[in-house]
Amino acid sequence: MDVAERIRNLPPYLFAEIEKKIDQAKREGKDVIDLGIGDPDLPTPQFIVDRLREAAGAGENHRYPSYRGLSAFREAVSLWYKKRFGVTLDPEREVVSLIGSKEGIAHFPWCILNPGDIALASDPGYPVYKIGSMLAGGIPLPLPLLPENDFLPALDYYPESIWRKVKLVFVNYPNNPTSRTSPVGFFQELVALAHRFDFVIAHDLAYSEVSFDGYRAPSILEVEGAKEVAIEFHSLSKTCNMTGWRVGFAVGNARWVEALGRVKTNIDSGIFNAIQWAGVEALKRSDEVLSSLIPIYTERRNIVVRALQKLGFDLPYPRATFYVWIPVPPRFTSMSFAELILEEAQVVVTPGVGFGEFGEGFVRISITTPAERLEEAMVRIEKALGG
Ligand SMILES: *Cc1c(COP(=O)(O)O)cnc(C)c1O
């Protein structure tokens, strides 16, 4: 017997070939610098770990958590949104905790899509938008982020006849993988479109706090009328170096938040309460964490962008995220360029095509690696390109 079609039809794993080459280089004893994965290298701040320790010792935290999240956690989210974005959220109805935002993003299409409904997924983008929509029986279509549009979605890419069938649109700013940000004006345009064609916007705000040069990323919920059509996904993973903890949340439209909670009560049973207490602490003191984190990422970003610009690559200094999105030289594809850099420099970069067809022509570098290693990687890349 074979596995179900929904699993068999999952897109093939694009990086298998490159991964084989990485393994081989490592086996040959080569010093490989991995700039492929977007996972913070710095540890979770000590005060958050301490809060977990303390909460893990308390017996009342050992039982099943509430599937919607501890009320203290939902209240902390609501306070943080008020302080950070000026957005008012009812912690009872407009906030739900998630086992990392990936979990919520993957389950959300179950709440919205009937079989055959269309979901638009930013492309290049976080693969979960597309796969989650597929697993729910929907039809994902790419929403292209094009360089000529500074990587904002081309809303005129589809005719009205398609927009009328769209039920769900996934967007993400600050954006992974392009590192671009969105002006509030784009969110206004998208919210107006959602009202016109009656679809739900799922905005992924995972990188709101990873920003540079004084830039502050907006929430889509700052836009008037957004709460009627939008849900926003967020997580402590990138803000507080907590990817391993699996703690996130979704906020916004009460009906969609409730629906997501209903899926969760039937599938998982929420986050360990002790982790939620640590999350409360992280939300309360995120400014402290960021004031030491952001200068580190800023220095790393500068090392990478400065070196690449010197080599003739045309790219700006990103205002947010820990990625640099690099156009590959004309004679390469994203895959062949990544292979060249791996073979000649022993540096791993992610081919843009792994994020969707519109990622072709680019590779992504992640700066979640210490500055000295990034310097070394840039020296090697320069040599590999004959500089
Ligand atoms: C890292 C990331 C997430 C979510 O991470 P979690 O650890 O599941 O909260 C969501 N979206 C994007 C674009 C990401 O890069």
Side-chain angles (χ1 to χ4, degrees):
M1 206 195 105
D2 202 353
V3 295
E5 266 169 44
R6 74 174 70 81
I7 298 297
R8 210 177 332 137
N9 292 344
L10 287 179
Y13 185 56
L14 266 163
F15 303 134
E17 211 41 46
I18 266 205
E19 224 142 71
K20 249 188 252 163
K21 290 188 175 154
I22 298 170
D23 285 345
Q24 188 180 340
K26 284 183 180 160
R27 265 200 310 276
E28 287 166 9
K30 290 186 177 143
D31 173 29
V32 176
I33 303 179
D34 192 345
L35 307 183
I37 354 167
D39 188 356
D41 56 312
L42 297 162
T44 306
Q46 191 58 41
F47 71 86
I48 300 173
V49 178
D50 290 344
R51 186 69 186 91
L52 170 70
R53 279 220 177 90
E54 187 192 328
E60 74 265 22
N61 291 331
H62 297 172
R63 310 186 65 188
Y64 280 120
S66 134
Y67 66 89
R68 290 188 305 153
L70 278 174
S71 58
F73 181 78
R74 285 181 280 115
E75 273 158 27
V77 168
S78 165
L79 281 172
W80 184 76
Y81 252 76
K82 187 73 193 171
K83 184 176 75 156
R84 173 64 178 83
F85 302 108
V87 169
T88 304
L89 294 171
D90 175 357
E92 280 307 308
R93 299 170 52 249
E94 296 174 333
V95 181
V96 61
S97 71
L98 299 171
I99 308 174
S101 57
K102 184 179 192 175
E103 178 263 303
I105 291 167
H107 282 145
F108 189 59
W110 290 85
C111 305
I112 303 297
L113 301 178
N114 287 312
D117 283 346
I118 292 177
L120 298 184
S122 293
D123 184 330
Y126 191 53
V128 188
Y129 311 144
K130 177 178 170 179
I131 308 262
S133 301
M134 276 176 64
L135 289 176
I139 300 173
L141 295 178
L143 182 59
L145 313 185
L146 304 172
E148 56 268 32
N149 204 20
D150 203 24
F151 300 99
L152 286 175
L155 296 177
D156 56 2
Y157 187 76
Y158 292 107
E160 270 195 43
S161 56
I162 295 284
W163 278 106
R164 270 194 219 100
K165 294 180 193 150
V166 169
K167 291 289 184 306
L168 176 59
V169 174
F170 280 104
V171 285
N172 159 228
Y173 291 97
N175 183 258
N176 173 11
T178 69
S179 75
R180 293 316 193 276
T181 56
S182 162
V184 173
F186 165 71
F187 288 149
Q188 284 165 340
E189 211 182 321
L190 188 62
V191 166
L193 207 63
H195 279 282
R196 179 165 164 217
F197 291 116
D198 194 23
F199 60 79
V200 178
I201 302 165
H203 182 228
D204 180 350
L205 192 54
Y207 292 93
S208 69
E209 306 313 294
V210 184
S211 64
F212 314 112
D213 313 328
Y215 174 73
R216 300 281 272 167
S219 155
I220 198 169
L221 300 175
E222 292 172 32
V223 171
E224 207 176 313
K227 236 192 229 177
E228 289 146 38
V229 292
I231 187 167
E232 195 157 68
F233 291 88
H234 210 292
S235 142
L236 293 168
S237 288
K238 315 295 161 63
T239 307
C240 295
N241 302 330
M242 292 176 75
T243 48
W245 294 58
R246 315 314 301 135
V247 51
F249 47 91
V251 301
N253 184 287
R255 190 166 171 198
W256 311 135
V257 164
E258 191 276 333
L260 189 52
R262 222 181 316 162
V263 170
K264 290 174 59 57
T265 186
N266 285 289
I267 293 183
D268 59 65
S269 294
I271 320 170
F272 181 28
N273 282 338
I275 290 180
Q276 295 191 61
W277 283 114
V280 168
E281 206 61 21
L283 282 164
K284 275 193 196 152
R285 292 171 65 182
S286 61
D287 286 350
E288 240 171 274
V289 178
L290 291 160
S291 66
S292 57
L293 191 57
I294 295 305
I296 295 172
Y297 284 143
T298 306
E299 185 204 358
R300 295 175 178 183
R301 173 199 69 165
N302 294 349
I303 289 168
V304 170
V305 176
R306 207 184 297 128
L308 291 169
Q309 284 184 346
K310 217 176 95 204
L311 287 172
F313 287 93
D314 178 20
L315 77 171
Y317 283 83
R319 288 200 294 178
T321 78
F322 42 58
Y323 303 112
V324 181
W325 188 239
I326 306 162
V328 304
R331 61 191 184 283
F332 292 99
T333 63
S334 67
M335 199 63 95
S336 69
F337 189 67
E339 280 173 3
L340 172 89
I341 298 296
L342 176 61
E343 273 155 28
E344 301 298 323
Q346 283 81 55
V347 174
V348 180
V349 302
T350 310
V353 73
F355 302 100
E357 59 187 291
F358 292 94
E360 185 50 270
F362 292 84
V363 294
R364 190 192 74 176
I365 275 185
S366 168
I367 57 169
T368 50
T369 297
E372 315 80 70
R373 292 292 278 170
L374 287 171
E375 301 260 20
E376 163 75 16
M378 292 303 122
V379 169
R380 290 196 206 166
I381 288 174
E382 184 177 350
K383 272 196 205 134
L385 297 178

